[in-house]
Amino acid sequence: MSLRLLWILWIITRFRLDTLIPLERLPWWLRVVFVLSPLRVFPVGRRSRGERLRLAMEALGPIFVKFGQMLSTRRDLFPEDIADELRRLQDQVPPFPGDAAAALVEEELEMTLTEAFAEFDAQPLASASVAQVHAARLHSGADVVVKIIRPGIERVMRQDMALLYRVARLLQMIPEARRLRPVEVVSDYEATLFDELDLRKEAANTSQLRRNFKDSPLLYVPTIHWPLTHRRVMVQERIRGVPVADIVGLKAQGTDLKRLAERGVEIFFTQVFRDNFFHADMHPGNIFVSHETPGDPQYIAIDCGIVGSLTREDQDYLARNLLAFFHQDYYEVAVLHIESGWVGEGTRANEFASAIRAVCEPILEKPLKDISFGQVLLGLFQTARRFNMEVQPQLVLLQKTLLNIEGLGRQLYPDLDLWSTAKPYIERWMKERAGPRGLWDSLRRQAPELTRQLPELPVLAHQALGRAESDYRLRREQNEAIQTIRKQLGHTARGTRRIRVGLLLLALALAWQPLMTWASGQPWPVLAAAALGVLLLAWH
C-alpha cells in the first residue's frame, strides 16, 4: 500500500500536476505550501498541460483512466486542449504486447490460435484501461473481435481500491462529506469495476441488451460467440460504424445529427424505464453510428461491462421527480425527497422547495447548449448540505450515465432541448405504469403466484383468524398479569413503609433520653429540619 501511495505521489511530481491548480483560488497558506513544495524542482518540460494530465492517468492505471474517460465527455467543464487529450483515453491507452495477448488467449481457451481462429491479428485494434481488442476471423468466415483482459490488472486495481477506501473513510469523518456516503459509493464502484474483469458477465450483459433492442431502429448490439468466450477472453461480432465523436465523419455520410441526438435521449430513457437495464459506460469510445440509413441513424453499442438497474421504487421515484421538474413543481420534488427519506422528516417542504427552485429554475426552457448539468448538480449538492440530504449509491451509475448522455448531446447537436425530448416519454411511461395497462401487466406478472396460492386461501384465512384470536387472548392475559403485578407492588410498598415507621419508632424509643438532651440545646430551625427529615424517611 505504502509503495503504491509513493508511486502516485511520484507520478504527480513527475508530470507536475500541481501546475493545473489555479493558485489564485486557493487560501494564502495553501499557496505558500505549493510555492515552497519540492515539486518546483522538477521542470514542466515541453509537454502541454493536457498531455501531462493524460500521461499521468495512463501511468496511474485503470481506475484513473476510467475517471479521465468520464471527464472526457464534459468538454464544457475543461479548456479545449485538456478535453482533447482526455478524449484519447477512450481507446488510445498504450497496448500490451501482441505475443502476450496470444499467449493469454491460448491459455484461457486451452487451444492454439490456429485451432480457434482462421486468422488472428497480433496488432490490437484498440486498447483501453482494462482490456484490449484484436481483430480475428473464425473458421466459418465470420469477422469477429477478441477482447482480452490485461495481464496482472487485478492486482493493481485492488491496490487502487484500497487507497480509495482509505480516502473514503477519511471523508467519512467529516460531517459535511458524511452525507455523500463515500464508503458505500466506493463499494458500489468496486463491484461494477471488478465485474469488468469477468468477460462472461460482459457477454451476458451484451446478449441481454441485444434482446431488449432486437430489430430496433434505435440501437444495434453485436452478437456474442459463446463457444470461444471465457473469463479473460470474449469473442463477438465485428461491427463497422463511425465513432459517435467523429462529427466530421458523421456529417460526411449525411447523418441527421438532430435526430441522432434525440434518439440518444430516447435510448437512455427506454433502457432505464422500459427495460430497467441500462448501459452505464456510454463514453464516446463505446458508441458508434451505423453507415446504413444516415437519414434515419442507428446507434451501435459495445463494451457492456458496466450496466445498471433500479428497483421499481427507484424507477417510480425518479420518474415522478423528473415530471415534477418538467412541470416546475418544486414543492412536489421536496415532498418526494421527504417521503423517500432522502432528507429528514423534520424538513419543511416549502423551505426545501424554495431552495430547489433557486437552483433549477434558471435551467428550464433552455437549449442543451445553455445548460450545464455539472453546475446544476453542484448547486443541488450545496443546497442539500443545508438539509442534510444523502446521496443514494444506487443512483450513482445513473447520474454518471446521464452526464455521459449530456456530453454526447453537446457534441452532436448543441441546440437539443433535453426537456422537451424527454418529457413526453416520461409522461407516457407513467401513464402506462399507473393506468389500466399497468394494472393489467402487474396482474399478469403476479398471476402464476396468485394461481398457486388461490386454493390455499381458505386455509390461510382460517390460520390468520386463529392467529388473531390467539394474539388477542395473549394480550388480554398479559394485561391481567400486569395489573396483578401492579397490585402486588402496591401492597409491598405499603408494607415496606409500615416496617420503616415501626423501626423508626423503635429507634426513637431506645434513644429517647439522649435525643431529648440533644434537642434541648438546639435552636428551633434545626429542630424543624430534623422533624421534616424524619417524616420524609418514614414516608419513603
Side-chain angles (χ1 to χ4, degrees), residues 6-167:
L6 290 174
W7 171 250
I8 292 175
L9 293 175
W10 162 248
I11 293 298
I12 293 174
T13 302
R14 176 186 171 190
F15 293 102
R16 287 297 306 275
L17 298 188
D18 64 300
T19 60
L20 302 180
I21 303 174
L23 297 182
E24 64 275 5
R25 298 184 183 179
L26 299 177
W28 68 269
W29 58 270
L30 199 52
R31 289 201 297 269
V32 171
V33 170
F34 272 101
V35 169
L36 299 179
S37 170
L39 289 173
R40 300 285 172 176
V41 176
F42 293 86
V44 175
R46 296 183 179 180
R47 293 193 179 105
S48 67
R49 57 182 182 177
E51 185 180 6
R52 284 185 283 116
L53 179 60
R54 174 180 62 81
L55 291 174
M57 288 184 169
E58 290 176 355
L60 289 173
I63 290 182
F64 298 91
V65 168
K66 284 196 166 296
F67 183 65
Q69 289 172 351
M70 183 184 71
L71 294 179
S72 71
T73 66
R74 302 308 317 276
R75 300 185 69 87
D76 57 307
L77 302 181
F78 297 96
E80 285 293 324
D81 59 322
I82 292 180
D84 289 340
E85 285 294 335
L86 290 179
R87 179 182 167 185
R88 296 183 61 187
L89 291 172
Q90 292 163 7
D91 55 3
Q92 298 183 36
V93 179
F96 57 90
D99 55 349
L104 193 149
V105 170
E106 292 183 338
E107 177 186 350
E108 192 71 10
L109 300 184
E110 298 182 347
M111 63 177 72
T112 64
L113 284 180
T114 55
E115 292 175 330
F117 305 102
E119 298 178 15
F120 181 87
D121 189 352
Q123 186 68 26
L125 284 174
S127 181
S129 54
V130 174
Q132 69 186 31
V133 176
H134 293 255
R137 179 169 295 167
L138 300 178
H139 291 290
S140 64
D143 289 331
V144 295
V145 292
V146 183
K147 187 171 185 176
I148 308 165
I149 295 292
R150 285 180 173 270
I153 193 65
E154 184 172 355
R155 177 181 54 82
V156 176
M157 288 173 63
R158 292 198 182 280
Q159 291 176 341
D160 287 347
M161 288 307 306
L163 284 173
L164 286 179
Y165 270 115
R166 180 173 293 183
V167 173

